[in-house]
Amino acid sequence: MGSIRVDLGCRIHPETIDHFDRLPDSLILLIFNKIGDVKALGRCCVVSRRFHSLVPQVDDVIVRVDCVISDDDASGTSSSSSASAASDKSRYPISSLFRIFFSGIFRPLQSLTQLITPSSVAFLQLNEDVDSETEQTAIPESFYTNGGLKLRVVWTISSLIAASARHYLLQPIIAAHKTLENLVLTDADGQGVLSMNKEQLEELRVKPLSASSASKRTLVPALNMRLWYAPQLELPNGMVLKGATLVAIRPSEQPKKEVVGSEGNWIATAFEEPFRTAARMLVKRRTYCLEMNSF
Amino acid sequence: MARKNRNPVGKNVDPEAQKKKTRTLTLKSSDGQEFSISESAAVLSIAIENMVEDDCAGGVIPLPLVDGGTLARVITYLNKHAEDGASDEEKRKFDEEFVSGMEMGVLFDVVLAANYLDIRGLLREVRRRIADRMKNKSVEWVRKTFHIESDFTPEEEEQMKKEFAWAWEGVDSDVDD
């Protein structure tokens, strides 16, 4: 019997070394940065004092928001025009997610990447189809054939609504993280990207938002919108864009800059090639102007 | 990673690169084991590359912080990544199998060695592997697997579990995988 106990002792002994004890803090942080998931990091806080002190230094945190931003006045339009097929995923209450941020453990975040899985697209620019060979999977075929231009306007509006909902959701995050310098928000399909730099974040902290009547999103100010559309656009390099659409939006209250010439330029510089060329070509086409009241 | 000294077509081969391939270095582990390795493979470690460049690599390079077993593993990795004609896909597959077969203690030996020798690709693989083992796992599982003893008082622990209750969603069962 005694020998059994000795055996166990021998076997257990080398196993009882805390693996992380061997690593310097910097190396543990490198590992934590690979974890990403905010919940896993939250659990790490509870593992030991050392973990608890290191987790807040993690730079890369991914928060998965498994929800669809539902907004009553958006539901009608987004169902007809939303780009993504994945519309009915599990709906977690958003409030439970943002508790994470209020608890304040990740305060020193330098950069935050947030993945959202909603059904619509925040900022639509263009959709492409390379020689009809590769289909953009997220965009239903009916979109091309079904009343092209009108649908695009509807789509743009629903994108604005989705964007304002995201903007609204971001406010508590931005308020809670004074050191946040750079924020990139994308949807799961990578179709919409919202990025804010230091100045824009600061502006949001200083100027509180006005919520819209639905109060789940930021009030969209009165807008001037220009839209260019081509059912088919052939680029010099032979690429063909089907249903190419370019939308430029600015608040009505902003002083009007000199139009087309310079505007064409700043619009084009917002894109990478080949879309830069496409944007340049599109602004030479017929411009559709829309004015929208605040909503 | 396309290194300029690798030329699949075989034309215009850089003579310096050729020399590196044929030159061998000897690495000596903390427990005195010696390993031969081509210079082209060895210099995938930035630390070794620096030693070679500073010309303090005369003969044998001592690596007092890496034991023989770990060094053998690291050399397997370096040789694969310096291999001519190994495609990126092949290397990726190799990397995956390389780290997934390692026991926890070995993973930590290798992560320390990769850090010390500054082998970026290996370091990335191993820390990702360790991180993956911690995702979706309970606090208890993490403690058990990495042999971490809680240094919180029971009261503190109770308090923390309340504070971090939101982090308990989506945790796997503690069955070892």
Side-chain angles (χ1 to χ4, degrees):
Chain A
M1 267 215 237
S3 69
I4 290 171
R5 218 175 290 151
V6 171
D7 273 350
L8 278 175
C10 289
R11 215 175 303 146
I12 287 166
H13 181 70
E15 292 277 299
T16 49
I17 303 164
D18 178 343
H19 289 310
F20 281 98
D21 266 357
R22 298 156 58 196
L23 308 190
D25 285 356
S26 59
L27 202 44
I28 297 185
L29 272 177
L30 283 178
I31 292 168
F32 282 0
N33 270 327
K34 284 278 177 201
I35 291 181
D37 177 58
V38 72
K39 285 184 193 160
L41 287 168
R43 291 193 298 276
C44 282
C45 285
V46 189
V47 168
S48 70
R49 283 185 202 279
R50 190 174 183 210
F51 275 28
H52 190 264
S53 67
L54 286 173
V55 168
Q57 297 174 41
V58 172
D59 287 330
D60 300 328
V61 180
I62 293 173
V63 184
R64 284 183 193 280
V65 187
D66 296 324
C67 72
V68 175
I69 298 172
S70 63
D71 194 355
D72 287 341
D73 36 324
S75 57
T77 48
S78 68
S79 62
S80 63
S81 64
S82 75
S84 164
S87 60
D88 264 303
K89 293 211 156 185
S90 55
R91 291 164 191 248
Y92 288 174
I94 291 163
S95 59
S96 78
L97 177 96
F98 285 99
R99 258 204 338 260
I100 297 165
F101 297 98
F102 293 133
S103 73
I105 51 154
F106 297 113
R107 207 165 284 281
L109 282 184
Q110 299 279 298
S111 155
L112 171 79
T113 302
Q114 186 176 30
L115 293 170
I116 282 203
T117 324
S119 58
S120 47
V121 181
F123 291 107
L124 153 75
Q125 316 292 11
L126 289 162
N127 43 77
E128 65 163 328
D129 193 345
V130 185
D131 295 336
S132 317
E133 274 178 25
T134 46
E135 285 283 340
Q136 283 274 342
T137 48
I139 298 163
E141 187 56 37
S142 62
F143 188 77
Y144 298 114
T145 51
N146 186 0
L149 182 61
K150 188 181 159 200
L151 205 49
R152 274 160 176 77
V153 175
V154 174
W155 194 8
T156 305
I157 293 169
S158 97
S159 295
L160 276 171
I161 290 168
S164 70
R166 275 170 219 196
H167 193 255
Y168 180 76
L169 292 175
L170 281 174
Q171 198 194 8
I173 302 179
I174 293 163
H177 301 290
K178 302 271 188 268
T179 56
L180 198 65
E181 289 187 354
N182 166 36
L183 185 140
V184 179
L185 180 78
T186 64
D187 64 334
D189 301 321
Q191 293 191 334
V193 180
L194 167 65
S195 50
M196 297 178 81
N197 62 22
K198 202 173 176 180
E199 288 75 35
Q200 288 166 320
L201 289 167
E202 197 48 48
E203 192 190 329
L204 196 61
R205 287 189 194 105
V206 176
K207 250 201 319 197
L209 299 168
S210 41
S212 89
S213 56
S215 79
K216 275 183 205 153
R217 56 184 183 82
T218 314
L219 188 72
V220 178
L223 297 171
N224 272 322
M225 215 166 95
R226 281 158 197 279
L227 191 147
W228 296 268
Y229 167 67
Q232 188 147 326
L233 187 71
E234 196 172 337
L235 301 185
N237 67 2
M239 185 189 272
V240 178
L241 300 176
K242 268 193 194 169
T245 311
L246 174 67
V247 185
I249 304 169
R250 75 157 156 247
S252 305
E253 61 184 44
Q254 210 172 65
K256 269 190 188 162
K257 282 188 210 154
E258 207 27 61
V259 221
V260 179
S262 60
E263 188 167 56
N265 272 331
W266 73 254
I267 291 171
T269 52
F271 296 95
E272 308 268 330
E273 289 296 353
F275 300 115
R276 180 171 291 188
T277 309
R280 285 227 168 83
M281 291 169 73
L282 275 168
V283 293
K284 290 191 189 121
R285 299 175 78 100
R286 183 169 176 189
T287 308
Y288 298 89
C289 294
L290 290 96
E291 289 196 5
M292 256 191 251
N293 291 330
S294 175
F295 61 98
Chain B
M1 243 200 293
R3 290 176 63 87
K4 68 170 191 288
N5 64 357
R6 199 159 318 130
N7 192 330
V9 189
K11 289 175 199 158
N12 307 323
V13 176
D14 175 3
E16 188 52 31
Q18 273 309 95
K19 236 187 272 172
K20 278 188 182 172
K21 235 175 270 171
T22 47
R23 236 175 0 220
T24 54
L25 302 174
T26 302
L27 308 181
K28 190 173 174 185
S29 68
S30 60
D31 46 353
Q33 295 183 55
E34 294 194 352
F35 299 85
S36 289
I37 180 172
S38 73
E39 187 177 327
S40 62
V43 297
L44 294 179
S45 149
I46 308 296
I48 294 177
E49 186 184 31
N50 289 341
M51 287 186 236
V52 173
E53 273 173 13
D54 297 346
D55 222 14
C56 42
V60 179
I61 301 181
L63 301 171
L65 295 181
V66 187
D67 67 75
T70 308
L71 189 53
R73 286 195 173 83
V74 169
I75 286 174
T76 308
Y77 173 90
L78 293 177
N79 281 336
K80 182 69 194 181
H81 280 257
E83 195 178 296
D84 276 332
S87 68
D88 288 350
E89 182 55 37
E90 238 177 281
K91 286 178 197 166
R92 230 187 341 264
K93 215 171 146 224
F94 168 87
D95 287 352
E96 211 179 297
E97 283 166 13
F98 186 65
V99 295
S100 65
M102 288 181 194
E103 278 176 29
M104 202 56 77
V106 175
L107 271 176
F108 278 76
D109 290 335
V110 174
V111 83
L112 276 166
N115 189 47
Y116 165 61
L117 295 172
D118 203 351
I119 309 169
R120 312 251 158 102
L122 181 58
L123 183 58
R124 193 176 53 236
E125 281 310 314
V126 184
R127 67 195 175 99
R128 180 160 59 208
R129 174 72 182 165
I130 297 173
D132 283 349
R133 301 283 285 160
M134 300 171 76
K135 283 181 193 168
N136 306 326
K137 295 294 182 188
S138 71
V139 172
E140 289 72 24
W141 191 95
V142 169
R143 282 185 187 146
K144 190 177 128 228
T145 307
F146 297 99
H147 311 299
I148 302 166
E149 239 176 274
S150 169
D151 46 4
F152 293 116
T153 65
E155 293 78 29
E156 279 174 328
E157 181 136 0
E158 212 35 55
Q159 178 58 35
M160 298 264 262
K161 286 202 171 164
K162 267 185 216 148
E163 194 183 323
F164 290 95
W166 50 263
W168 259 255
E169 289 166 27
V171 178
D172 289 350
S173 75
D174 283 348
V175 181
D176 276 340
D177 56 350

